[in-house]
Amino acid sequence: MSNKQTGFVKRRRWGWLWILLIGIIIGAALLAGTATVFHKTSDTAFCVSCHTMQQPLAEYQGSVHFQNTKGIRAECADCHVPHEPLDYLWTKIRAVKDIYGEMVGTINTPEKYEAHKLAMAQSVWKTLKENDSATCRSCHSFDAMDITGQSAEARIQHPVAIKKGETCIDCHKGVAHILPDMSEVTQAGAAELATAAAQTPATATTLYTIATEPFFMNAGDSHNAGNLMPSTEVEVVKQQGDQVLVDVKGWQQDGVAEVFYAAQGKRILSVLLGEDAQKALKTLNTQTDPETNLVWHQVALQVWLPKKQLVDDQQKIWRYAADMMSANCTGCHGLTALDRFNANQWIGVIKGMAPRTSLTQEQLRVMTQYVQKHASDMPAKL
């Protein structure tokens, strides 16, 4: 190889080395710049620098995550930005939509903020549910908890959460921001349940009431003879137009003619009886409760109902009730385990908590049925 060719090869090698070196420098600069931008845009001061963040900031500053006896403060990114690299990067990419929202004024007034608050909260809750509350667990861990030193409520709830594999957000909604108005969730659940009832197959024979339902002793009656409570099970005898003749069974305490219950010794209301219904009631069996010495009669009644308020799957009612309970009963405390109380105790618990919610009497009836029929002294399926 000539000297000229050798020199060319050397210059070419040095050229590639310089290109590689410059590429490394540029890459390092870009990486450092990107990391700096990501870090700065995760800072709480940056997060609340927009005027639209003043309401969320005020809520955060009033929470235990901002000020507490331990002197530990969770910043915005601690809760909203995952620590895992890929999740972190994806969260930053998704944040572009927040820039767009700021530009078009999606939540630039208190009214707009309140209107969008539920959707924003549900988005965060969904993410936390899917990633097993990853950002929560970056600080909190069941393994590190001294449960015996926690509050009485936490000592009861945390072992249940561990046993059932629950995640933080299942119970701890509203810990850093005031909960949104949850009535929309409840209304949507009720509408979904009504839609399911409208689609109940005509061939279904075991049905359940989705709400308090008036019943009639005859198909053509105009005045109801009583009411069935939500979730009451009925067996179809025959259909006539949009009405069904059904059998209803339950338990009635001796001397209490106006009602009967879903189970012996349990105050789980199934049916409220008018005078005509009381006369038509049939006694199938009589037993004495060994614990209370009260006499109970197993009873049956045949009544007419509109079919539009009946579903063939009781789990549809329970899903609605569970969502309603989760939406309305986690703002002040964790979600109470259903088997924490027996069926009769749940009556007092619901009555005590009801004034702190915006639930209607009908919604409270559904929730009461749900918790009672899943209580500590109830079988797996009533």
Side-chain angles (χ1 to χ4, degrees), residues 183-199 210-211 308-309 311 316 320 324 363:
S183 60
E184 184 178 328
V185 175
T186 304
Q187 291 167 4
E192 185 177 332
L193 195 57
T195 300
Q199 297 172 350
I210 65 171
K308 64 180 181 179
Q309 293 285 76
V311 292
K316 294 176 181 178
Y320 164 55
M324 184 162 51
Q363 291 163 348

Side-chain angles (χ1 to χ4, degrees), residues 309-323:
Q309 293 285 76
L310 301 169
V311 292
D312 62 337
D313 182 2
Q314 196 177 43
Q315 291 304 314
K316 294 176 181 178
I317 302 173
W318 296 156
R319 284 193 291 271
Y320 164 55
D323 288 345

Side-chain angles (χ1 to χ4, degrees), residues 59-249:
E59 294 176 357
Y60 161 61
Q61 289 176 333
S63 76
V64 71
H65 277 72
F66 182 81
Q67 192 167 31
N68 51 71
T69 57
K70 304 293 185 183
I72 301 171
R73 179 169 295 170
E75 304 291 347
C76 298
D78 292 327
C79 297
H80 291 284
V81 182
H83 294 185
E84 290 296 321
L86 290 178
D87 292 335
Y88 178 89
L89 181 60
W90 177 237
T91 299
K92 285 297 182 180
I93 293 172
R94 289 173 57 202
V96 172
K97 66 178 176 54
D98 297 329
I99 299 174
Y100 174 77
E102 184 68 24
M103 292 173 62
V104 300
T106 302
I107 55 170
N108 62 356
T109 67
E111 293 76 19
K112 289 182 180 180
Y113 173 72
E114 290 299 329
H116 287 83
K117 190 174 184 179
L118 177 59
M120 293 188 294
Q122 288 176 321
S123 176
V124 174
W125 297 339
K126 181 176 182 291
T127 298
L128 288 171
K129 182 70 174 177
E130 290 172 348
N131 65 22
D132 193 22
S133 304
T135 51
C136 303
R137 294 181 187 277
S138 64
C139 292
H140 305 281
S141 166
F142 283 136
D143 293 336
M145 286 181 183
D146 177 12
I147 293 178
T148 60
Q150 295 178 342
S151 68
E153 182 73 18
R155 288 199 301 271
I156 294 171
Q157 297 298 339
H158 279 145
V160 174
I162 294 170
K163 181 180 178 181
K164 294 186 176 181
E166 294 175 345
T167 191
C168 308
I169 199 61
D170 288 330
C171 298
H172 295 286
K173 298 179 178 73
V175 292
H177 298 285
I178 297 172
L179 281 172
D181 181 2
M182 304 301 291
S183 60
E184 184 178 328
V185 175
T186 304
Q187 291 167 4
E192 185 177 332
L193 195 57
T195 300
Q199 297 172 350
T200 298
T203 55
T205 56
T206 301
L207 301 174
Y208 305 88
T209 52
I210 65 171
T212 304
E213 186 63 30
F215 64 79
F216 306 87
M217 300 311 299
N218 300 290
D221 288 352
S222 57
H223 297 289
N224 66 298
N227 292 291
L228 300 185
M229 292 296 101
S231 80
T232 299
E233 180 179 309
V234 300
E235 292 292 332
V236 176
V237 177
K238 69 175 181 179
Q239 299 188 41
Q240 182 175 308
D242 59 355
Q243 290 190 312
V244 287
L245 179 65
V246 300
D247 283 328
V248 193
K249 294 180 180 179

Side-chain angles (χ1 to χ4, degrees), residues 200-364:
T200 298
T203 55
T205 56
T206 301
L207 301 174
Y208 305 88
T209 52
I210 65 171
T212 304
E213 186 63 30
F215 64 79
F216 306 87
M217 300 311 299
N218 300 290
D221 288 352
S222 57
H223 297 289
N224 66 298
N227 292 291
L228 300 185
M229 292 296 101
S231 80
T232 299
E233 180 179 309
V234 300
E235 292 292 332
V236 176
V237 177
K238 69 175 181 179
Q239 299 188 41
Q240 182 175 308
D242 59 355
Q243 290 190 312
V244 287
L245 179 65
V246 300
D247 283 328
V248 193
K249 294 180 180 179
W251 290 86
Q252 188 176 67
Q253 183 182 332
D254 191 47
V256 183
E258 298 82 6
V259 300
F260 68 78
Y261 302 95
Q264 179 186 330
K266 311 295 190 297
R267 308 295 176 178
I268 307 173
L269 275 176
S270 282
V271 186
L272 302 179
L273 303 162
E275 290 184 5
D276 290 342
Q278 292 175 33
K279 295 175 183 177
L281 202 63
K282 295 180 180 179
T283 300
L284 306 177
N285 184 23
T286 297
Q287 295 182 11
T288 300
D289 189 322
E291 295 183 3
T292 63
N293 287 324
L294 292 175
V295 176
W296 289 84
H297 307 289
Q298 187 179 25
V299 294
L301 183 66
Q302 198 166 88
V303 298
W304 286 91
L305 292 172
K307 191 180 178 182
K308 64 180 181 179
Q309 293 285 76
L310 301 169
V311 292
D312 62 337
D313 182 2
Q314 196 177 43
Q315 291 304 314
K316 294 176 181 178
I317 302 173
W318 296 156
R319 284 193 291 271
Y320 164 55
D323 288 345
M324 184 162 51
M325 187 174 181
S326 177
N328 290 274
C329 302
T330 56
C332 304
H333 54 75
L335 195 62
T336 303
L338 297 177
D339 58 2
R340 179 175 175 182
F341 302 106
N342 65 39
N344 293 342
Q345 289 171 333
W346 266 117
I347 299 172
V349 173
I350 295 295
K351 284 184 177 179
M353 294 295 106
R356 305 182 188 184
T357 74
S358 59
L359 296 174
T360 66
Q361 285 300 312
E362 182 61 27
Q363 291 163 348
L364 287 168

